[in-house]
Amino acid sequence: MNLQHYKQDIADNGFSVISNIFSEEEIEKIGKVINQIDTSKETFRKSEDLFAIRQFLKEIPEVKDLVFNDNIKKIIKEVFGDQYFVVKSIYFDKPETSNWYVAYHQDLTISVDKKTVLENFGPWTTKQNQFAVQPPLDILENIYTIRIHLDDTDEQNGALKVVPTSHAKGIYRPETIDWNVETEHICNVEKGGIMIMKPLTLHGSNRTTNGKKRRVIHIEFSDQELPSEIQWSERESVL
């Protein structure tokens, strides 16, 4: 697997899709582990439109060896760099009937262990006793996100739509998108494939219209150390 093309693609456009990273059997095993969990914890979010698990790798540690197969480790090492570690993980399940719709946005916050006053860090949010903050731009620019697809995903069941090259424009407010100069790209991903994205890439997704579910594992990676007053809430080495 020659990854240089994908590395360049991400640098230029802010995203790339790579097929056949997980076998049918590996996807089945991951699904089985997820289906056996106790969903009553407060880090789990359940509604008709969405089931989500925050701190996914912390909540379900037995899934870790399945998620970080040789292909994923090779990608982290060669595309991101061997100093990269996990800083956030979420599992999303958009059910077949989901009307869940996500407007265009950038991922501007990181998850940390506590709230405190820090220069250039803010605003802060707290969800389910978890703290998120907008850090300085250079920290966001260094993050990579891997989205592992457990189902075939296209424009009919909520595939991500992105604005290519928007990751290189700093903080980009969605309401200022000039569609005369920007284009929209739909990221279709086959089951067992992944999408890699820079968090500053403008992205969103439409409602499901084809009655097919969409399960995604979203994992963010950084090689940056935070100021000593705070820590990444999910820091985990995988290489």
Side-chain angles (χ1 to χ4, degrees), residues 18-148:
I18 314 179
S19 301
N20 303 315
I21 297 301
F22 293 87
S23 67
E24 189 77 37
E25 190 186 4
E26 286 174 314
I27 291 293
E28 209 161 287
K29 281 182 180 169
I30 291 170
K32 213 171 255 182
V33 170
I34 293 168
N35 288 339
Q36 289 169 349
I37 55 178
D38 165 16
T39 60
S40 62
K41 296 182 184 174
E42 59 174 34
T43 42
F44 297 5
R45 169 178 176 173
K46 282 181 292 189
S47 73
E48 280 177 26
D49 284 336
L50 181 74
F51 173 68
I53 305 171
R54 292 177 186 282
Q55 302 203 356
F56 175 65
L57 296 172
K58 257 190 189 176
E59 291 289 359
I60 311 175
E62 57 272 35
V63 87
K64 192 176 154 185
D65 287 345
L66 299 171
V67 166
F68 294 104
N69 67 4
D70 290 344
N71 286 340
I72 289 285
K73 285 181 177 174
K74 183 178 163 77
I75 286 163
I76 296 167
K77 206 175 280 185
E78 294 183 21
V79 178
F80 307 170
D82 54 16
Q83 300 301 307
Y84 271 77
F85 46 87
V86 173
V87 295
K88 187 185 216 171
S89 60
I90 310 172
Y91 169 75
F92 294 108
D93 179 351
K94 247 187 177 182
E96 295 86 338
T97 55
S98 176
N99 273 323
W100 187 258
Y101 161 85
V102 182
Y104 267 110
H105 66 288
Q106 295 174 303
D107 291 340
L108 295 177
T109 63
I110 58 171
S111 295
V112 294
D113 62 338
K114 60 173 174 290
K115 183 176 178 178
T116 185
V117 177
L118 277 176
E119 201 178 342
N120 300 323
F121 281 76
W124 290 79
T125 56
T126 310
K127 266 186 207 164
Q128 296 169 316
N129 225 2
Q130 295 180 52
F131 305 100
V133 64
Q134 186 170 324
L137 200 58
D138 62 322
I139 291 178
L140 291 173
E141 286 172 340
N142 263 46
I143 291 173
Y144 288 91
T145 299
I146 292 182
R147 294 169 60 87
I148 300 165

Side-chain angles (χ1 to χ4, degrees), residues 184-226:
E184 178 175 280
H185 178 84
I186 307 282
C187 296
N188 294 349
V189 187
E190 292 175 358
K191 178 181 185 176
I194 66 170
M195 177 191 175
I196 300 176
M197 185 178 75
K198 299 296 283 174
L200 291 175
T201 305
L202 278 164
H203 59 286
S205 66
N206 293 334
R207 295 178 173 86
T208 300
T209 58
N210 65 356
K212 291 184 178 171
K213 70 190 305 170
R214 185 199 73 164
R215 294 167 300 157
V216 173
I217 298 168
H218 168 117
I219 308 176
E220 295 176 20
F221 301 82
S222 176
D223 64 348
Q224 301 275 304
E225 298 302 336
L226 297 174

